[in-house]
Amino acid sequence: MDTGPEQTPQPPTERGSARDARYPLLVHRVRSPRRPLVSRSLIAFALGGAALAALVFAIVTWRAVGVGIAVPDLVGLPEGVARTRLAQAGLELASVERRFDPQPQGRVLAQDPSPGARLPRGGRVAVVVSGGTEEFRMPDVVGKGVNVARAQLEQSGLVVRIETVDSDLPRDTVLETIPAPRAIVRTSDIVRVRVAAPYEPSDLLMPFELRGTLFVIDPAPVPGGEGDPPLEVTRRLRSLLEASGATVIVTRTVTETDTPLATRAQRAQAASAAVTAVVGFDVVAEAPPGLGVAVPGPGDLPPAQLAGSESLADNAVRVLTELGTPVPRALLGSDPVAAATSAPIVRITLGALASREDVAAFRDPRWSDSVARSVYRTLGERYGQQP
């Protein structure tokens, strides 16, 4: 029986030798590779596009952040215009410093960073703005209410001190200012504003009977010759005392601006052995500012004279404090004028030339009147009688 050509077994291939040996009748087929769903060229194109987009973004970011926005030139512009220019450029105003300058008030004088510098968006620019000239004319607030006047003066950079004056005008109406309207003032100067207040009988100065008393007044010269407050207060005090019957001797005259201390002591000594009390007035160059009362210390005067001086000083402190501020008491030390008589002595410091507030008071005739009236009351309560 013919069985056909004899099948010669094929040797197993190297790749599938083990399986083919086990299953010799299976036919091994080699499959061709499958095509990818997305072509390689499309992937490469997409990656290239992403890289290009990243590059463009990096360039834009670098130009906006790395190079930044050019700072506009703000010098010479009004503050409001400068703020708008910065906002339009995508920048902000960091801070505003004001200083006195001849340029109109509110004008930009300098900036930081300088024009042309570059900042990232939202960067901040600081500017210096003119606050106007430091010297200007005193605003006229006479006749206005005290609150309106205070606001106007403080807005101009002035320091306001309110004083009340008896008047028939409505309460808190501004009667006058010191300095007067249109006077040249400077920023931070102290302005005394007098406003109307109801009349109070208790404000009257009670007269005293001082016949038979003798007072020596020693107004010390002012260092530097800045006015003569001691002599101004002395002139007013002398009038009050003499109107009450007292005898008054002043150790220097109006024309003597630099009378030596020894000369003043000699004049006090020549006055009389029956001096009732000695009052000195001083202005100091530096601190402490404001009114003050001083008496010689123990050992500088005989016990009786020292006791009388301390009692007089206590009364002066109490009365002067009623002017509105506490009045300190200090030791005077050795004083030739005090040693020239056996009478009690007090020296009253009127203020300091270094204090703007004190200097403003020195120019005010009503302040001199107030001090003179207080010292008159001190002497009247101590050595006089009410008629």
Side-chain angles (χ1 to χ4, degrees), residues 10-387:
Q10 299 295 325
T13 62
E14 181 180 356
R15 180 177 177 183
S17 58
R19 186 180 63 176
D20 293 345
R22 293 173 56 191
Y23 305 98
L25 297 181
L26 293 179
V27 178
H28 178 71
R29 295 180 180 178
V30 179
R31 295 183 180 180
S32 60
R34 298 178 61 183
R35 294 183 60 186
L37 296 177
V38 181
S39 66
R40 294 180 179 178
S41 59
L42 183 59
I43 294 175
F45 180 78
L47 292 176
L52 179 61
L55 178 61
V56 171
F57 178 78
I59 292 174
V60 172
T61 304
W62 176 74
R63 289 182 61 85
V65 178
V67 176
I69 300 170
V71 176
D73 188 357
L74 307 176
V75 176
L77 299 178
E79 180 183 345
V81 175
R83 192 183 297 271
T84 301
R85 289 280 179 87
L86 289 174
Q88 291 173 344
L91 302 174
E92 297 181 4
L93 189 62
S95 62
V96 178
E97 176 187 348
R98 302 185 188 277
R99 72 181 182 203
F100 299 115
D101 192 88
Q103 291 290 328
Q105 186 173 359
R107 192 80 62 176
V108 176
L109 304 176
Q111 65 182 85
D112 183 28
S114 58
R118 293 190 173 271
L119 292 175
R121 182 169 297 276
R124 299 166 68 84
V125 179
V127 297
V128 178
V129 175
S130 171
T133 56
E134 187 173 8
E135 291 188 348
F136 55 94
R137 293 195 179 276
M138 172 73 181
D140 186 359
V141 296
V142 175
K144 298 182 178 180
V146 63
N147 293 332
V148 174
R150 183 197 292 273
Q152 182 177 346
L153 295 175
E154 290 181 345
Q155 188 175 10
S156 299
L158 299 171
V159 179
V160 179
R161 297 287 185 268
I162 304 296
E163 300 176 356
T164 57
V165 178
D166 293 336
S167 174
D168 294 332
L169 292 177
R171 179 191 291 270
D172 293 339
T173 301
V174 176
L175 304 176
E176 64 174 333
T177 60
I178 300 172
R182 306 295 297 168
I184 299 298
V185 293
R186 295 167 61 91
T187 302
S188 299
D189 277 355
I190 295 173
V191 176
R192 306 167 76 88
V193 179
R194 291 201 169 95
V195 300
Y199 170 78
E200 296 182 7
S202 60
D203 291 337
L204 287 174
L205 179 65
M206 300 300 297
F208 294 94
E209 176 60 59
L210 291 169
R211 296 184 187 277
T213 57
L214 172 60
F215 298 101
V216 173
I217 306 178
D218 178 41
V222 178
E226 288 287 338
D228 203 342
L231 205 57
E232 286 297 316
V233 175
T234 295
R235 181 172 62 83
R236 291 165 169 77
L237 176 59
R238 180 176 187 172
S239 298
L240 292 170
L241 292 173
E242 290 180 341
S244 298
T247 301
V248 179
I249 295 176
V250 180
T251 59
R252 71 180 180 95
T253 65
V254 175
T255 58
E256 296 175 329
T257 58
D258 194 18
T259 309
L261 180 57
T263 301
R264 290 159 32 215
Q266 290 174 1
R267 292 174 180 175
Q269 187 176 23
S272 171
V275 176
T276 305
V278 179
V279 179
F281 293 110
D282 302 285
V283 169
V284 296
E286 301 293 337
L291 293 170
V293 175
V295 294
D300 295 319
L301 294 177
Q305 187 180 9
L306 180 61
S309 298
E310 291 180 341
S311 177
L312 182 59
D314 289 340
N315 201 38
V317 168
R318 176 179 58 80
V319 175
L320 289 171
T321 298
E322 295 179 6
L323 292 178
T325 57
V327 176
R329 175 174 163 174
L331 291 177
L332 178 61
S334 179
D335 187 338
V337 176
T341 71
S342 59
I345 180 173
V346 294
R347 297 203 70 89
I348 298 174
T349 301
L350 300 176
L353 294 176
S355 168
R356 287 188 176 184
E357 187 167 2
D358 287 351
V359 172
F362 296 159
R363 300 169 182 166
D364 182 1
R366 295 201 180 191
W367 176 84
S368 299
D369 285 337
S370 298
V371 176
R373 287 156 65 95
S374 295
V375 178
Y376 168 75
R377 178 182 158 193
T378 298
L379 297 175
E381 290 178 353
R382 183 74 175 78
Y383 303 108
Q385 295 180 348
Q386 292 185 357

